[in-house]
Amino acid sequence: STQSTGVESVTCDDGSVCPSGTTCCKLASGGYGCCPFPEAVCCNDGQHCCPNGYTCDVSAGTCIRGALPLQTLPVSNKMSAESTVEKVESVTCDDGSVCPSGTTCCKLASGGYGCCPFPEAVCCNDGQHCCPNGY
């Protein structure tokens, strides 16, 4: 019988482990990274991922849902997969969604939240863009 350690995780194809609620995505290096979204879409550049239901627009650095450009989200860089499960730092947005550590939750024009790839960033009023702290 298997013993539960109380820590849920996702095992990647190469045997590395990602935290529960994340998705294993193959990196350009050949290893695996942990995308911070459950059942995420792994972009074909081997560096980025999008939430479930979105498609990658790698050239624009966005995730697109349907044909509505207002619902784009910044592409989230994958975290490195760990050989053992460790505490994963994250930022919780006002709507309960989660962004990786080192990013900032920004309200989108659609009313949801996206992850700006800068810590303590300034969210622009257009609901689509953000700037590094101090800009």
Side-chain angles (χ1 to χ4, degrees), residues 14-39:
D14 67 352
S16 59
V17 177
C18 289
S20 179
T22 66
T23 302
C24 294
C25 285
K26 193 160 191 170
L27 300 171
S29 65
Y32 281 82
C34 308
C35 177
F37 307 110
E39 298 175 27

Side-chain angles (χ1 to χ4, degrees), residues 7-98:
V7 177
E8 292 193 29
S9 61
V10 178
T11 303
C12 306
D13 290 344
D14 67 352
S16 59
V17 177
C18 289
S20 179
T22 66
T23 302
C24 294
C25 285
K26 193 160 191 170
L27 300 171
S29 65
Y32 281 82
C34 308
C35 177
F37 307 110
E39 298 175 27
V41 175
C42 301
C43 302
N44 61 11
D45 66 354
Q47 292 182 0
H48 300 97
C49 61
C50 291
N52 190 352
Y54 287 77
T55 56
C56 301
D57 184 344
V58 176
S59 61
T62 59
C63 300
I64 301 171
R65 181 177 227 155
L68 300 175
L70 292 179
Q71 294 186 8
T72 59
L73 294 175
V75 175
S76 295
N77 286 312
K78 293 189 213 55
M79 303 172 279
S80 294
E82 300 292 335
S83 55
T84 57
V85 178
E86 295 180 10
K87 183 180 176 195
V88 174
E89 299 288 327
S90 62
V91 179
T92 303
C93 306
D94 291 343
D95 68 350
S97 61
V98 177

